[in-house]
């Protein structure tokens, strides 16, 4: 009996390192008030549900949460409730809670990691989505102000768009360089593909004067996403 007890204790002690090595990590999305569909890096990872857990995620991922659409429809047809890049570390669970009446805004959903705000934050971090930092943007604005002609400003902006992404707030400030909505619309169409916080872009659209111009930009954005989704 004692021999068996000693052997059991020995086996338990031998298993402790392995038990300690077992960990849970990933992203947990909770939506108590409505069913949702979750996409990670563009891939749907669950059927309509109130709770979703994605395990073994290490690194940076784009997480989109949509209100569950009608049966058989594209998951992106539902209302966008959350759209943010989330960094996952080993042995860490990221919690995302979708409130009852959540609409996409500056702080989309709530989670236990850094949430972008307005203005000047960097809502997306990644190798290919490099938002111009506040200090770099101020230098960029100074360079734009030094240009005497619109053609020169266009050349400076085109060069920046090759390597940098922008926030909606930065776009709004760039719009101030232009007097007419026709010029502002050209800027918005040019810069939109490189806007990091696209769900916030309606703030920029509201800076236009006429409904017809706002509708034109909304139609452009819809067409852009249809081609790129």
């Amino acid at each position: 009996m004692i021999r068996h007890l000693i052997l059991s204790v020995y086996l338990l002690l031998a298993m402790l390192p392995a038990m300690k090595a077992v960990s849970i990590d990933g992203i947990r999305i909770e939506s108590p008030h409505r069913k949702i569909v979750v996409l990670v890096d563009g891939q749907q990872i669950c059927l309509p549900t109130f709770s979703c857990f994605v395990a073994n995620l290490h690194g940076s991922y784009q997480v989109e949460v949509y209100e569950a659409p009608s049966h058989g429809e594209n998951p992106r047809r539902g209302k966008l409730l959350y759209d943010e890049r989330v960094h996952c570390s080993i042995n860490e669970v990221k919690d995302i809670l979708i409130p009852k009446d959540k609409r996409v805004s500056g702080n989309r959903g709530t989670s236990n990691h850094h949430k972008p705000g307005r203005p000047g934050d960097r809502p997306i971090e990644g190798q290919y989505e490099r938002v111009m930092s506040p200090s770099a943007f101020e230098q960029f604005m100074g360079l734009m102000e030094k240009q005497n002609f619109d053609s020169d400003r266009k050349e400076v902006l085109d060069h920046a768009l090759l390597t940098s992404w922008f926030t909606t707030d930065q776009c709004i400030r760039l719009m101030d360089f232009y007097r007419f909505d026709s010029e502002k619309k050209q800027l918005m169409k040019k810069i939109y593909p490189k806007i990091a916080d696209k769900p916030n872009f309606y703030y920029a659209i509201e800076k236009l004067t006429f409904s017809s111009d706002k509708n034109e930009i909304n139609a452009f954005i819809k067409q852009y996403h249809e081609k790129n989704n």
Side-chain angles (χ1 to χ4, degrees):
M1 179 68 180
I2 295 177
R3 185 169 179 271
H4 285 294
L5 180 60
I6 294 174
L7 181 60
S8 298
V9 172
Y10 176 81
L11 290 174
L12 179 60
L13 292 173
M15 291 172 61
L16 282 176
M19 293 171 63
K20 185 177 181 180
V22 176
S23 62
I24 298 177
D25 43 33
I27 302 174
R28 179 169 49 223
I29 304 100
E30 299 284 347
S31 178
H33 306 285
R34 73 189 104 185
K35 286 189 176 182
I36 55 172
V37 174
V38 178
L39 282 73
V40 176
D41 283 347
Q43 298 297 317
Q44 182 177 342
I45 49 86
C46 70
L47 296 173
T49 181
F50 292 100
S51 178
C52 178
F53 183 78
V54 191
N56 300 322
L57 295 180
H58 306 142
S60 186
Y61 300 86
Q62 189 71 25
V63 178
E64 300 170 74
V65 181
Y66 293 84
E67 186 173 10
S70 301
H71 180 70
E73 287 190 353
N74 187 315
R76 287 192 172 94
R77 290 288 182 87
K79 183 194 300 180
L80 180 62
L81 304 174
Y82 185 93
D83 182 10
E84 191 169 327
R85 201 159 191 86
V86 178
H87 182 77
C88 301
S89 302
I90 298 175
N91 301 340
E92 183 181 9
V93 175
K94 298 289 188 181
D95 287 305
I96 298 173
L97 175 64
I98 306 300
K100 182 177 181 180
D101 297 317
K102 187 62 189 173
R103 298 175 183 271
V104 172
S105 60
N107 293 334
R108 296 150 292 198
T110 60
S111 62
N112 63 353
H113 65 291
H114 171 72
K115 299 183 287 294
R118 293 172 51 87
D121 264 334
R122 301 182 60 167
I124 299 180
E125 295 179 0
Q127 183 178 2
Y128 301 106
E129 296 169 321
R130 299 178 292 273
V131 177
M132 189 176 289
S133 68
S135 59
F137 182 72
E138 292 305 323
Q139 295 178 1
F140 174 72
M141 288 291 288
L143 182 60
M144 290 282 284
E145 289 172 357
K146 290 180 181 179
Q147 309 307 310
N148 295 322
F149 302 101
D150 288 342
S151 58
D152 295 332
R153 276 193 288 269
K154 177 180 178 298
E155 185 176 349
V156 172
L157 177 61
D158 288 345
H159 181 75
L161 287 171
L162 293 175
T163 57
S164 298
W165 287 59
F166 293 83
T167 67
T168 296
D169 293 287
Q170 291 170 345
C171 174
I172 290 173
R173 289 187 60 187
L174 289 170
M175 290 169 65
D176 290 338
F177 282 112
Y178 304 98
R179 179 179 178 183
F180 301 108
D181 277 6
S182 58
E183 298 171 320
K184 294 179 181 180
K185 288 188 297 181
Q186 291 179 12
L187 167 68
M188 296 168 75
K189 291 179 181 179
K190 178 189 292 288
I191 202 174
Y192 182 78
K194 285 294 189 76
I195 290 293
D197 56 336
K198 287 181 172 62
N200 287 334
F201 202 69
Y202 66 90
Y203 286 106
I205 296 175
E206 286 302 311
K207 296 297 181 180
L208 297 174
T209 304
F210 300 107
S211 297
S212 58
D213 292 326
K214 296 177 183 179
N215 292 337
E216 179 182 337
I217 296 299
N218 282 320
F220 168 83
I221 291 174
K222 180 180 179 181
Q223 186 178 30
Y224 170 84
H225 285 287
E226 288 175 349
K227 289 182 178 179
N228 291 278
N229 288 340

